[in-house]
Amino acid sequence: MTVRFSGGGFVDDDVEAYTYELLPPRDDVVSEMEQQAIERSIPIIGPAVARVLQQYALAINARRVFEMGSAIGYSTIWLARAVGPVGRVYYTDGGEKNAAEARGYFERAGILDRIEILVGDSIDLIDSVEGEFDLIFNDVDKHQYPAAFRKAAPRIRKGGLFITDNVLWGGRVARGDSDADTEGVREFNRLIYSSREMYSSILPIRDGLAVCLKL
Ligand SMILES: C[S@@+](CC[C@H](N)C(=O)[O-])C[C@H]1O[C@@H](n2cnc3c(N)ncnc32)[C@H](O)[C@@H]1O
């Protein structure tokens, strides 16, 4: 079965389907999470974006990763596999139930020992973890994106990455929508491109992925 996690419709449907069909099959745990996400409408990044995220983490040899907005831990698993057995990924989410479900998946995937599970507001929780990060992945509520950027940017090492999902927000950022989430993403996009400490670009994959390199 072809599992699709399309977002913005920025790529032709048939082309997007083709790129998803090319993806190698995932293991049982990750496949089950994808199925759960479809059945329960959990907004995970899906396998195409997850692969990009993991690729960037591997490219910079990331060992310390902080994640903002982890839900059932799908993106966390891809990051945890990238950091390897000596790495550390900080899972953060506001929901106790999400965290409990995620823990079960991490255990079954054999990577629980490299993940720290923190429950609460990701934007506050980052203060409770000392040190710099090689990579921070941001996927919190969209109106919080500017706050997430301001908090996360100083915590990334030079040469590290700040990656954010949904920065095209179904195209609403480019149109007249003015709800809090759309305004949040718009402000975020202005921030990342005007920042002197980040070299940023937006990949129009699925719902838009921002990749910011710390200078
Ligand atoms: C889009 S989902 C995350 C999906 C996950 N990154 C993945 O791809 O597998 C966003 C999650 O972050 C949580 N969330 C949103 N804002 C948050 C915040 N400020 N602090 C903690 N959790 C937050 C939501 O409740 C939800 O579980």
Side-chain angles (χ1 to χ4, degrees), residues 99-111:
E101 183 172 347
R103 174 182 289 275
Y105 294 128
F106 301 156
E107 213 158 13
R108 282 170 54 200
I111 50 167

Side-chain angles (χ1 to χ4, degrees), residues 3 30 70 102 114 121 150 189 200-201 208:
V3 175
V30 170
S70 305
R114 63 183 86 158
D121 189 324
R150 291 190 179 99
N189 289 338
S200 304
S201 54

